[in-house]
Amino acid sequence: MSTASEGIGERRYVGGVEAATPRSILSVSDVSRYFGGVTALENVSMALNAGEITGLVGDNGAGKSTLVKLISGVIPPSAGHIEFDGRPADFASPSQARTAGIETVYQDLALAGNMTVWANVFLGRERFRGPRFLHLLDKKAMIVAAREMLGRFQMNVPPIEGNVDGLSGGQRQLISIARAAAWGSKLIIMDEPTAALGVAETQAVEGVIRTLKDRGFSVLIISHNLDQVFRLTDRIWVLRRGRMIGERRTAATDPNEIVSMITGARAGNGEVA
Ligand SMILES: Nc1ncnc2c1ncn2[C@@H]1O[C@H](COP(=O)(O)OP(=O)(O)OP(=O)(O)O)[C@@H](O)[C@H]1O
Ligand SMILES: [Mg+2]
């Protein structure tokens, strides 16, 4: 029977040289969250390694989005402790989490449809020219910078001066991810980033997620699509009914085992996960 801490801090040998123990970027310790009489999370612990893509899976209502909201400062935990990059992560708001280096991309996308692509990239972080009290937006600089930011990813850059309204779901998702990556964040969290996308758009978003890893970002991805989770992740954590069931290295497990952990059904080896 595996425990939730299995694999964390393991030592790997690369070419006879002992590789550094993976550095933890986020650790969630004994966190609970109640909504009135509803227990959304109970004594949940989870650790994320820096530079890895981590998957968080679980059935509907398992508590995945609640856990993301606790990590990203949307709501506080009822009990427990979260540490990010070696510091307590008791954020009072999403903007505090962002300042600390955690960006969250939601399925329903926090993009303003009636604004241009460049204005969305700079939403809340506008650049000004001249004396600050005049509030003169430095539109030219933002357009140039937004084009450069989006161009860093191998993606079909949409017209930077066009409105977001005219874009497909996939293009919007890519802008949200590129925006998250552009702001010096360390951890990018994605709650169901491709749930509403078609096959080609999903492929494009997955490509960008891989690019994030190549560039050293840590990524936490929530997805109901197990094929996708297996394609993308280094490690998978499983929540069931508000409890953390366990963690597996993606290369050392298979979809059958993960499904049995999600549902609580017996795995092939007779173990009740
Ligand atoms: N604001 C809230 N008020 C009351 N109950 C809530 C609230 N947010 C979440 N819950 C409850 O907490 C539990 C976990 O919900 P959560 O949204 O975290 O699940 P999830 O794993 O993200 O599910 P899904 O896969 O459907 O998105 C559910 O029972 C849900 O009804
Ligand atoms: Mg959810």
Side-chain angles (χ1 to χ4, degrees):
M1 177 115 178
S2 301
T3 66
S5 60
E6 177 192 270
I8 292 296
E10 72 200 42
R11 294 198 174 272
R12 288 179 289 197
Y13 288 82
V14 183
V17 179
E18 191 176 324
T21 305
R23 187 172 70 84
S24 167
I25 182 94
L26 179 87
S27 79
V28 173
S29 309
D30 291 323
V31 159
S32 300
R33 172 70 207 201
Y34 311 108
F35 294 104
V38 177
T39 301
L41 295 170
E42 178 92 46
N43 284 331
V44 162
S45 295
M46 176 174 78
L48 263 57
N49 289 337
E52 288 191 353
I53 303 180
T54 305
L56 177 62
V57 300
D59 227 333
N60 293 113
K64 306 179 295 295
S65 295
T66 302
L67 184 51
V68 166
K69 285 177 188 159
L70 299 184
I71 296 168
S72 56
V74 177
I75 50 173
S78 307
H81 181 71
I82 302 174
E83 231 175 62
F84 176 67
D85 211 17
R87 295 205 182 94
D90 39 11
F91 307 124
S93 68
S95 81
Q96 281 187 9
R98 274 201 295 274
T99 304
I102 300 175
E103 283 279 343
T104 309
V105 176
Y106 292 98
Q107 181 187 337
D108 51 3
L109 308 179
L111 291 185
N114 57 350
M115 288 169 62
T116 60
V117 170
W118 66 263
N120 268 283
V121 170
F122 279 91
L123 199 60
R125 289 149 162 150
E126 289 80 2
R127 286 190 191 167
F128 296 93
R129 62 190 165 85
R132 189 62 203 264
F133 67 88
L134 289 178
H135 281 287
L136 293 172
L137 287 176
D138 195 345
K139 188 177 156 186
K140 256 190 207 154
M142 287 191 279
I143 290 173
V144 170
R147 192 170 281 129
E148 197 268 322
M149 284 175 187
L150 298 180
R152 279 185 222 159
F153 294 91
Q154 267 127 26
M155 59 185 263
N156 222 346
V157 181
I160 220 91
E161 293 181 66
N163 268 11
V164 163
D165 269 339
L167 302 182
S168 70
Q171 283 176 315
R172 288 172 187 231
Q173 193 62 260
L174 291 168
I175 291 170
S176 296
I177 297 171
R179 180 173 70 176
W183 297 113
S185 27
K186 298 167 193 157
L187 172 63
I188 299 180
I189 305 176
M190 303 181 198
D191 195 346
E192 299 279 359
T194 61
L197 305 185
V199 176
E201 292 192 320
T202 296
Q203 275 176 0
V205 170
E206 288 183 4
V208 168
I209 295 172
R210 286 195 189 91
T211 308
L212 292 176
K213 181 184 167 179
D214 293 344
R215 305 221 171 138
F217 289 96
S218 310
V219 177
L220 176 62
I221 177 170
I222 292 176
S223 175
H224 279 284
N225 180 340
L226 274 194
D227 287 343
Q228 174 173 68
V229 169
F230 273 82
R231 278 196 299 273
L232 288 176
T233 66
D234 300 292
R235 227 168 258 278
I236 304 172
W237 291 82
V238 182
L239 271 175
R240 184 169 75 235
R241 293 193 199 152
R243 292 185 172 270
M244 194 57 91
I245 299 302
E247 167 231 9
R248 294 289 184 274
R249 235 166 19 92
T250 309
T253 185
D254 58 51
N256 282 338
E257 185 184 31
I258 297 298
V259 167
S260 72
M261 290 168 79
I262 290 172
T263 61
R266 273 171 191 282
N269 60 6
E271 170 196 355
V272 178

